Amino acid sequence: MVVVVRSRSAQFILATAIALLASGVHGQQAPVPLRAYVPNTDIVQYRQFWLIVEASGTSVETPIVTDGEGVIINTTSPNMQTQFSLSGQDRQQFIRMSYVAMAIEAGEVTIPSIRCRVNGKILETEPIKLNVKPGESPDAVRAWVSAESVTVG
């Protein structure tokens, strides 16, 4: 099949698209196997923030996330996004887990390392240090509990 492109702007666009496809660049960097971050590490005590955990590989299990001293993380109901891609024989999986968290102490607090099995190996992130400014104590207490431990009456 032969394609004839006559206009210069169409030739430029076609050449750019071919170059990008040939180089494997699609506007994104290659994902790292495991990464955890807080978009803004300067936070206010008692205000919710997001902890994001991303993992990618041919086999990815759910990350192990635990509370840190001075910070609580809602691990019972994270927002989860999963993507799969196929390239020849290889199947890649990418997951992004977004956890709601809250610092209950002011000062420097640390979210502990997060572990995840990726491609059969247990990987671990670096701890995340947060700078927590004092905030007003909430009027109500918020607690996250698993459904098995809730009792009414």
Side-chain angles (χ1 to χ4, degrees):
M1 177 173 155
V2 175
V3 177
V4 177
V5 180
R6 295 186 192 271
S7 77
R8 289 213 181 271
S9 60
Q11 289 174 345
F12 175 76
I13 291 170
L14 182 60
T16 303
I18 291 171
L20 287 174
L21 290 173
S23 67
V25 175
H26 297 85
Q28 296 179 353
Q29 296 178 347
V32 294
L34 180 63
R35 168 174 106 125
Y37 64 96
V38 173
N40 182 2
T41 56
D42 291 323
I43 60 174
V44 178
Q45 182 182 18
Y46 302 120
R47 288 207 189 145
Q48 294 180 350
F49 63 91
W50 289 104
L51 165 65
I52 314 293
V53 180
E54 298 174 337
S56 64
T58 56
S59 168
V60 179
E61 294 182 10
T62 302
I64 299 168
V65 178
T66 57
D67 293 341
E69 191 169 324
V71 64
I72 53 175
I73 302 167
N74 179 1
T75 58
T76 59
S77 57
N79 179 5
M80 181 175 176
Q81 298 173 326
T82 304
Q83 296 175 353
F84 293 95
S85 64
L86 295 172
S87 175
Q89 297 285 356
D90 296 331
R91 175 180 82 82
Q92 288 290 317
Q93 179 181 7
F94 172 81
I95 65 167
R96 174 179 289 140
M97 308 280 285
S98 301
Y99 299 89
V100 175
M102 180 186 300
I104 55 175
E105 292 180 7
E108 186 177 284
V109 298
T110 303
I111 296 174
S113 298
I114 295 166
R115 293 185 314 277
C116 184
R117 186 180 302 271
V118 178
N119 300 335
K121 296 178 183 175
I122 296 178
L123 303 179
E124 193 169 313
T125 67
E126 293 293 323
I128 301 170
K129 294 192 184 302
L130 304 172
N131 179 30
V132 183
K133 297 176 179 125
E136 292 185 30
S137 181
D139 295 334
V141 175
R142 173 172 286 177
W144 293 296
V145 294
S146 63
E148 297 91 34
S149 68
V150 175
T151 345
V152 178

